[in-house]
Amino acid sequence: MHLLIMGLPGAGKGTQAAKIVETYGISHISTGDMFRAAMKNETEMGKLAKSYIDKGELVPDEVTNGIVKERLAEPDIKEKGFLLDGYPRTIDQAYALDQTLSELGLQLDGVINIDVDPESLVERLSGRIIHKETGETFHKVFNPPAGDYNEDDYYQREDDKPETVKRRLDVNISQGQPILEHYRGQDLVTDIEGNQEIDQVFKDVKEAIDRIK
Ligand code: ADP
Ligand code: AMP
């Protein structure tokens, strides 16, 4: 299966993606995770990405399209399929993805669009915590780790501070609409109500994927 998961920052893409890849055994490709790994390893690409990410801006299309193209050409993709998370984020990335998929002989099966009220996103992002060892995402209030957890085992993303969040939301709102229209034109999009409990969102996501399969 070849899927995209779309939604504004904080909509729950990463949270749902973790459940999707576990349930369906497909490969998770998150451009945000790839950039954060490159930033951690202080590669040239990581340093470049950081200069954009810290300001809440998008990394330039040439760079982002390049890493996705390389990743999609890896052997696990043909074997298992993929779930792309956080890409495409500009209409030009959507066109580049069409081109890459056609070169690789792959076809998109569906787009899961998590629809949320933008008002709720600042609260979601400011409470987001990530487990240092596993990378698993939680929320201090909405989805806390089980039991008595040690706060030192978790970190908050630099770009989740309110000043950066505002810019990220503005950028993603303005760029996202044409991408959805592009895929709606191909009848690929399923809209999911994202302002529900995480498990209920996943129930709806699963129903959508089972219809796509
Ligand atoms: P994205 O990948 O779209 O940026 P995440 O999956 O990281 O979003 O979710 C952002 C934050 O909101 C996290 O702290 C997550 O635990 C929390 N969250 C995710 N889905 C929900 C939901 N349905 N209701 C409340 N909080 C949620
Ligand atoms: P995310 O983890 O998806 O919230 O992404 C974190 C940040 O990485 C974004 O705010 C962008 O700066 C950058 N990024 C992730 N995916 C893309 C993309 N497809 N195009 C451009 N920048 C991206």
Side-chain angles (χ1 to χ4, degrees):
M1 235 178 342
H2 308 137
L3 301 174
L4 304 186
I5 187 159
M6 291 189 55
L8 292 173
K13 300 182 295 296
T15 301
Q16 297 300 324
K19 294 177 182 293
I20 295 169
V21 300
E22 195 188 330
T23 305
Y24 296 95
I26 58 183
S27 293
H28 181 201
I29 307 177
S30 154
T31 42
D33 284 352
M34 289 162 92
F35 287 136
R36 279 184 292 278
M39 278 158 51
K40 197 170 169 199
N41 294 326
E42 297 182 359
T43 65
E44 282 310 308
M45 195 268 281
K47 287 181 208 160
L48 177 90
K50 186 171 167 34
S51 66
Y52 293 91
I53 291 174
D54 283 353
K55 290 185 286 195
E57 303 292 342
L58 295 179
V59 177
D61 284 349
E62 313 83 79
V63 178
T64 312
N65 290 333
I67 62 165
V68 172
K69 187 171 179 176
E70 237 173 66
R71 179 67 188 90
L72 284 171
E74 284 176 25
D76 62 306
I77 301 298
K78 277 243 153 71
E79 282 160 32
K80 300 197 221 166
F82 65 80
L83 173 68
L84 261 170
D85 162 4
Y87 180 93
R89 259 188 166 109
T90 65
I91 191 68
D92 286 338
Q93 289 181 12
Y95 297 145
L97 177 62
D98 286 348
Q99 174 73 27
T100 297
L101 291 176
S102 119
E103 282 168 21
L104 292 167
L106 301 169
Q107 221 176 356
L108 213 51
D109 297 310
V111 177
I112 304 290
N113 177 44
I114 310 189
D115 230 340
V116 280
D117 167 10
E119 304 279 293
S120 59
L121 296 176
V122 175
E123 203 182 357
R124 284 207 192 172
L125 293 171
S126 60
R128 171 156 66 183
I129 49 173
I130 299 162
H131 191 248
K132 287 178 185 165
E133 241 176 74
T134 61
E136 200 177 342
T137 296
F138 297 88
H139 190 281
K140 285 181 186 174
V141 179
F142 305 138
N143 184 28
D148 260 345
Y149 68 94
N150 182 351
E151 286 207 5
D152 294 344
D153 295 338
Y154 297 82
Y155 71 93
Q156 286 191 273
R157 272 170 51 176
E158 266 295 308
D159 60 342
D160 277 347
K161 26 180 216 282
E163 316 85 82
T164 322
V165 163
K166 192 178 171 319
R167 181 66 194 145
R168 286 165 63 205
L169 290 176
D170 287 347
V171 166
N172 282 275
I173 288 170
S174 67
Q175 304 266 5
Q177 220 45 44
I179 307 175
L180 274 174
E181 293 315 317
H182 176 69
Y183 294 120
R184 285 196 204 285
Q186 298 169 45
D187 211 13
L188 286 171
V189 180
T190 307
D191 295 296
I192 303 287
E193 171 55 58
N195 287 106
Q196 312 183 77
E197 294 275 325
I198 291 173
D199 288 344
Q200 184 58 46
V201 176
F202 185 58
K203 201 164 159 270
D204 293 354
V205 165
K206 209 165 159 296
E207 268 176 35
I209 295 178
D210 290 339
R211 273 198 305 271
I212 292 166
K213 265 204 300 185

